[in-house]
Amino acid sequence: MASKAAHKRLTKEFLTMQREPPPFVWAAPDEKNILTWNFLIRGPPDSPFAGGEYHGVLLFPAEYPFKPPGIKMITPSGRFQPDRRICFSMSDFHPGSWNPAWSCATILTGLLSFMLSDEMTTGSVTSSDSHKRAFAQRSHAWNIIQPRFKEAFPEHCAPELRELPNMGEQSRGKPESPTTTRAPFIFSGASSSVPTSPTSTPTPVITTANSDIIRRRLPVPNRDNTKAPTPTTGWATTWRGVIWEKWRWGALIALAVVVSRFSSGA
């Protein structure tokens, strides 16, 4: 049984895998046991595994992420022995080199890189590139008749090979494929409303309640068509009135003086 820490971590990693699957890789937990993950690896182009579809399992310990998982590849590939544990730096063969910060995506990316190399280890086999290509061509037909594959990936059991969510299109300068992989189940602790598309994002919804709140926070426009005078405009108007009054009285006094002088002279 998974520890609380393992369950929480694996739940988070499953959601991350759905949102941001690594290139040529897909994985999901078993419906009955979150510590067992089924994965698919697609052979990258320009490699002997091009066009291949490889099913395997990750066997996480109850102490994960503080201990590494066991790793098996079930589909014959010409690189690993089918259904045998594989020894490499991120597997349970090397607990001393394990880093708890590594995730399922990190492990599978590392496994794919190791698969493309020629390094020999426990669980690996030696074969020519032509044999690897032959295994790749037969891999999907082999997978769809296997009970474990049909149970883990029913959506991939059609006669035609189905693409994974991330086929490395961006690295080759092409747009991402719109094809998505359906999550085989939503285990306890994960919301059933989580989108399975890695590019989908929830659309904000404004309800009547929060629209009223937003409306109350918006500034209320001035309903009067006349613009309210600013303090600066009010002071200017006042000074203009004072000056006008003084000028008017001064003009009247000057006029009165002139009239009186003319009257005296007459």
Side-chain angles (χ1 to χ4, degrees):
M1 174 180 279
S3 65
K4 185 176 180 180
H7 192 283
K8 182 178 180 180
R9 173 67 174 267
L10 290 171
T11 300
K12 181 179 178 181
E13 291 189 20
F14 178 46
L15 301 179
T16 301
M17 176 67 68
Q18 291 181 314
R19 291 193 304 266
E20 302 174 0
F24 308 110
V25 167
W26 174 256
D30 183 85
E31 184 176 4
K32 300 173 184 176
N33 184 3
I34 196 174
L35 295 176
T36 300
W37 283 49
N38 288 278
F39 68 81
L40 286 177
I41 290 180
R42 288 293 304 276
D46 305 323
S47 77
F49 307 99
E53 177 187 64
Y54 305 97
H55 173 211
V57 291
L58 296 175
L59 305 171
F60 291 97
E63 298 81 7
Y64 183 80
F66 304 107
K67 290 185 178 181
I71 304 170
K72 294 182 180 181
M73 185 170 285
I74 299 171
T75 307
S77 62
R79 179 68 175 94
F80 301 117
Q81 298 179 43
D83 210 10
R84 290 284 303 274
R85 286 184 183 251
I86 301 169
C87 171
F88 85 116
S89 59
M90 296 183 181
S91 73
D92 56 359
F93 279 84
H94 297 280
S97 63
W98 170 252
N99 185 342
W102 291 338
S103 65
C104 175
T106 309
I107 297 165
L108 293 178
T109 300
L111 178 63
L112 176 57
S113 177
F114 186 69
M115 182 177 179
L116 298 175
S117 73
D118 295 324
E119 184 179 350
M120 296 302 298
T121 185
T122 302
S124 63
V125 296
T126 303
S127 67
S128 65
D129 285 354
S130 60
H131 279 94
K132 292 182 177 74
R133 292 190 185 96
F135 279 119
Q137 292 175 359
R138 298 193 297 262
S139 60
H140 182 64
W142 189 89
N143 282 335
I144 60 177
I145 63 174
Q146 306 302 315
R148 281 193 289 184
F149 183 87
K150 289 192 279 188
E151 181 179 359
F153 300 107
E155 66 274 18
H156 285 269
C157 288
E160 300 80 14
L161 188 63
R162 182 179 181 182
E163 302 284 24
L164 299 184
N166 185 350
M167 290 299 294
E169 299 293 331
Q170 288 182 339
S171 62
R172 301 199 299 274
K174 299 179 181 179
E176 285 290 344
S177 170
T179 306
T180 59
T181 299
R182 179 186 61 83
F185 78 108
I186 300 296
F187 47 84
S188 176
S191 171
S192 58
S193 62
V194 175
T196 58
S197 170
T199 58
S200 62
T201 54
T203 303
V205 177
I206 299 179
T207 63
T208 303
N210 58 32
S211 65
D212 290 339
I213 295 173
I214 294 171
R215 193 179 300 111
R216 288 198 298 270
R217 291 178 179 176
L218 292 175
V220 179
N222 185 12
R223 299 183 183 276
D224 192 355
N225 292 329
T226 60
K227 183 177 179 181
T230 61
T232 303
T233 304
W235 280 108
T237 303
T238 302
W239 277 109
R240 280 198 298 268
V242 171
I243 294 171
W244 166 251
E245 289 293 327
K246 289 184 177 181
W247 182 87
R248 188 178 63 175
W249 282 107
L252 290 174
I253 292 171
L255 180 62
V257 171
V258 172
V259 170
S260 65
R261 285 182 181 180
F262 274 105
S263 300
S264 299

